[in-house]
Amino acid sequence: MEKYCFGIDVGGTTVKCGLFSTEGEVLDKWEIPTRTEENGKNILPDVAETILAKISEKKLDKAEVAGVGIGIPGPVNEEGEVPVAVNLHWGYVHIVKEMEALTGLKVKAGNDANVAALGELWKGGGMGCHNLILVTLGTGVGGGIIVNDKILAGSHGAGGEIGHAHVEDGIADPCNCGNCGCLEQVASATGIVRLAKEELEASEEASLLREGEVSAKTVFDAVKAGDALAVRIAERFGKYLGKALAVFACVADPEVIVIGGGVSKAGPVLLEFIEKYYQKYAFSACRAADFRLATLGNDAGIFGAAKMVL
Amino acid sequence: MEKYCFGIDVGGTTVKCGLFSTEGEVLDKWEIPTRTEENGKNILPDVAETILAKISEKKLDKAEVAGVGIGIPGPVNEEGEVPVAVNLHWGYVHIVKEMEALTGLKVKAGNDANVAALGELWKGGGMGCHNLILVTLGTGVGGGIIVNDKILAGSHGAGGEIGHAHVEDGIADPCNCGNCGCLEQVASATGIVRLAKEELEASEEASLLREGEVSAKTVFDAVKAGDALAVRIAERFGKYLGKALAVFACVADPEVIVIGGGVSKAGPVLLEFIEKYYQKYAFSACRAADFRLATLGNDAGIFGAAKMVL
């Protein structure tokens, strides 16, 4: 009987690893470095080695291990193929084939943001739901869509790449993706700083944000302190994201929208600004979607990866 | 062995019915009236009766019938429940439960636009693909999303309701859905007439469109004749729809985008205006999506309905 599974979250500098019970309990959690040299050729062998070492250390029977799920920072198709993963220095890699050969275990692979969405659905902010949109507000805007408990990977591994939805015609400088006016440019931590700078330059109005360096954190701290200029920034942020989520909901019609990433540490106040505009622009049937904060933090990836093989 | 299946497309005035081989060949096609009186209580019994009569007429063995798929003009959830279908005068109906009891056959139900998308995937413009967005440009804008050969129904039956995506802040009059600035208000046949009126009023420029009544058809006929004002209307239409599809693609990452409905009779020229702006705004990985015209016309619904039970 299958009792265990592994959830692996491969990042650009470290690989997060988790040993889980099939019920979703974390039995062990550790990290190994991501060796990106020589086109990252050691990454998968290193992961395989640490898994086999853990099986041996814990004296597990391999027949009791349901498999290994892996999240990767790059596009991954349904079959577990990666065309290219810049942060890992990878060209084409067939993760599932390679890892199954290296470990002798069943392997599933997915894009890290999509995998994190599955983690939040399983044991995080979306627990108990079957259809979810996860938005990760960090340096960029990541996203993952779950439809009927499954990751929407898309035909080019770009399913859930909502950070690159076009939302603003008035931005002339390009996003990392090359396009101009992406959601990421106005709703990420960096995007919030962009909006803050615009508001600070547009007037001489007194604001807590005129002292020290501006960040997404100082903006939402100022919002909590009742700073009028900071509230205007939060309104603009909320309008961009809430309106975009209303459009995404016309496609995916989620049960729950989970907001994670560093910016989400601002707490419930963040949801208020997003939900207000979501409600304004959403199609009637989609307005019932619930807004929640992510709860798994950096562990969402290993949870979701583990869930993939169950 | 299962050799046959039925595809049923329930509309507000007629019910289209098809008897198919499991390979997707149409063996018979007919219509019955939709009796909406008395809260549409006769609709499902009428459908059941015509199916059982056809089985008897064709001397089919019920064991050889894979089942009955039904498309409905309203939201339908994964279980085949309809909360309300205004055009059928229905309140809550559990289609699958009722129809299985009436026919003794396996039944699946879906929203008509989503079902049409499945039809186009199976035997129409999206044949051979697994991930598709269907856009139906008629009086309104309908849509259906297929992910891995399955309809994306959504948690409130509103999956693929892309006609109600917000695309324009500058529209003050409400859409049928109650919101303002929906894609349907600028990209449907009615929406194209709206854009045409705006362009005609904005200048005194000579145009073929100044003679007679303006419709989506006369606009695209004028485009084909090289009318500059008509081309500007088509550009605006193409920008709205192409940009919106680029956003939808960040969510669903389709292999193919199929354009159907009455407006699509304009032919390949229509795709040019849409694709140009899609390419401009789409995330790089999604640009590989193929644009095609729908090929099944009004039969997409019965094809998709039949496919649901296979």
Side-chain angles (χ1 to χ4, degrees):
Chain A
M1 209 189 99
E2 293 175 343
K3 291 183 185 167
Y4 310 101
C5 59
F6 287 90
I8 309 292
D9 185 12
V10 182
T13 51
T14 59
V15 180
K16 291 191 187 69
C17 309
L19 170 62
F20 291 79
S21 72
T22 48
E23 278 76 44
E25 195 191 345
V26 186
L27 304 175
D28 200 356
K29 216 171 83 174
W30 71 102
E31 291 187 2
I32 61 170
T34 308
R35 291 199 288 150
T36 53
E37 62 270 21
E38 293 178 86
N39 296 325
K41 70 171 185 152
N42 297 306
I43 299 175
L44 291 183
D46 285 355
V47 171
E49 194 187 317
T50 196
I51 288 170
L52 296 174
K54 189 60 68 179
I55 289 176
S56 160
E57 175 201 327
K58 299 279 183 185
K59 300 187 173 58
L60 307 181
D61 180 349
K62 244 181 160 177
E64 292 177 335
V65 178
V68 180
I70 307 185
I72 294 289
V76 182
N77 72 8
E78 288 285 325
E79 282 70 43
E81 292 169 286
V82 173
V84 61
V86 179
N87 293 340
L88 305 183
H89 301 195
W90 280 1
Y92 173 87
V93 176
H94 196 313
I95 303 180
V96 167
K97 219 183 255 180
E98 281 198 34
M99 277 298 290
E100 289 192 339
L102 286 164
T103 60
L105 293 165
K106 184 175 100 178
V107 175
K108 295 267 180 185
N111 166 270
D112 55 2
N114 293 346
V115 169
L118 188 60
E120 288 290 342
L121 183 92
W122 191 32
K123 297 290 174 183
M127 203 154 59
C129 297
H130 306 284
N131 295 283
L132 166 153
I133 296 181
L134 172 68
V135 187
T136 311
L137 304 172
T139 315
V141 171
I145 318 270
I146 306 295
V147 174
N148 291 335
D149 301 307
K150 290 209 171 62
I151 288 171
L152 198 173
S155 20
H156 316 94
E161 278 288 358
I162 56 178
H164 300 291
H166 180 89
V167 299
E168 174 60 66
D169 286 345
I171 292 179
D173 60 304
C175 177
N176 288 330
C177 78
N179 286 350
C180 297
C182 290
L183 181 61
E184 175 158 310
Q185 292 183 284
V186 290
S188 62
T190 330
I192 292 169
V193 171
R194 167 198 293 267
L195 300 180
K197 283 184 177 157
E198 288 174 7
E199 287 297 323
L200 286 165
E201 281 165 19
S203 79
E204 294 290 311
E205 184 179 331
S207 167
L208 295 168
L209 298 174
R210 299 208 185 268
E211 302 147 26
E213 203 168 337
V214 175
S215 67
K217 182 178 184 318
T218 63
V219 168
F220 280 97
D221 284 347
V223 166
K224 289 174 199 164
D227 188 279
L229 191 140
V231 169
R232 284 209 303 279
I233 298 165
E235 291 281 347
R236 284 183 62 194
F237 154 84
K239 184 169 180 180
Y240 278 122
L241 184 52
K243 197 201 271 190
L245 282 166
V247 173
F248 306 153
C250 288
V251 179
D253 185 16
E255 204 171 344
V256 61
I257 294 170
V258 176
I259 311 289
V263 175
S264 72
K265 288 181 187 153
V269 65
L270 187 78
L271 300 187
E272 287 171 30
F273 288 97
I274 306 167
E275 203 172 351
K276 171 177 166 180
Y277 290 98
Y278 177 82
Q279 289 296 333
K280 175 170 176 176
Y281 292 106
F283 179 58
S284 52
C286 301
R287 281 182 208 139
D290 206 11
F291 276 75
R292 299 188 204 157
L293 291 167
T295 63
L296 297 178
N298 291 332
D299 287 346
I302 56 171
F303 271 92
K307 179 71 173 96
M308 273 198 291
V309 289
L310 295 178
Chain B
M1 209 190 96
E2 293 174 343
K3 292 184 185 167
Y4 310 102
C5 58
F6 288 90
I8 309 292
D9 184 10
V10 181
T13 50
T14 59
V15 180
K16 291 191 187 67
C17 308
L19 169 63
F20 291 80
S21 73
T22 50
E23 280 75 43
E25 196 191 343
V26 186
L27 304 175
D28 200 357
K29 217 171 82 174
W30 71 102
E31 292 188 1
I32 61 170
T34 308
R35 292 199 286 151
T36 53
E37 62 270 22
E38 293 179 84
N39 296 324
K41 71 171 185 152
N42 298 306
I43 298 175
L44 292 183
D46 286 354
V47 170
E49 193 187 318
T50 195
I51 288 170
L52 295 175
K54 188 60 68 177
I55 289 176
S56 160
E57 175 199 327
K58 299 279 182 184
K59 299 187 174 59
L60 308 181
D61 179 350
K62 244 181 161 179
E64 292 177 336
V65 178
V68 180
I70 307 184
I72 293 289
V76 182
N77 72 8
E78 287 286 326
E79 283 71 42
E81 292 169 285
V82 174
V84 61
V86 179
N87 293 342
L88 305 183
H89 301 195
W90 281 1
Y92 173 88
V93 176
H94 197 313
I95 303 180
V96 168
K97 217 183 257 179
E98 281 196 36
M99 277 297 290
E100 289 192 339
L102 287 164
T103 61
L105 293 165
K106 185 175 97 177
V107 174
K108 295 265 182 188
N111 166 269
D112 55 2
N114 293 346
V115 168
L118 188 61
E120 287 290 341
L121 183 93
W122 191 32
K123 296 290 172 183
M127 204 154 59
C129 297
H130 306 284
N131 295 282
L132 167 152
I133 296 180
L134 171 69
V135 188
T136 311
L137 305 172
T139 315
V141 172
I145 320 270
I146 306 295
V147 174
N148 292 334
D149 302 307
K150 290 210 171 62
I151 288 171
L152 198 174
S155 18
H156 316 94
E161 277 289 358
I162 56 179
H164 300 291
H166 180 89
V167 298
E168 174 60 67
D169 287 345
I171 291 179
D173 59 303
C175 178
N176 287 329
C177 77
N179 287 350
C180 297
C182 290
L183 180 61
E184 175 159 309
Q185 292 184 283
V186 290
S188 61
T190 330
I192 292 169
V193 172
R194 167 197 293 268
L195 301 179
K197 284 185 177 157
E198 287 175 7
E199 288 297 323
L200 286 165
E201 281 166 18
S203 79
E204 296 289 310
E205 184 178 331
S207 167
L208 295 169
L209 297 174
R210 298 203 186 272
E211 302 146 27
E213 203 168 338
V214 175
S215 67
K217 183 177 183 320
T218 63
V219 168
F220 280 97
D221 284 347
V223 166
K224 289 174 198 164
D227 187 277
L229 191 141
V231 169
R232 284 209 304 279
I233 298 165
E235 290 281 349
R236 284 183 63 195
F237 155 84
K239 183 168 180 183
Y240 278 122
L241 184 52
K243 195 200 273 191
L245 282 167
V247 172
F248 306 153
C250 288
V251 179
D253 185 17
E255 205 172 345
V256 62
I257 294 169
V258 176
I259 311 288
V263 175
S264 71
K265 289 182 187 152
V269 65
L270 187 79
L271 299 187
E272 286 170 32
F273 288 98
I274 305 168
E275 203 171 352
K276 171 177 166 182
Y277 290 98
Y278 177 82
Q279 289 297 331
K280 174 169 176 178
Y281 292 106
F283 179 58
S284 52
C286 302
R287 282 182 209 138
D290 206 10
F291 276 75
R292 298 189 205 156
L293 291 167
T295 63
L296 298 178
N298 291 331
D299 287 346
I302 56 170
F303 272 92
K307 179 73 173 98
M308 272 199 291
V309 289
L310 295 177

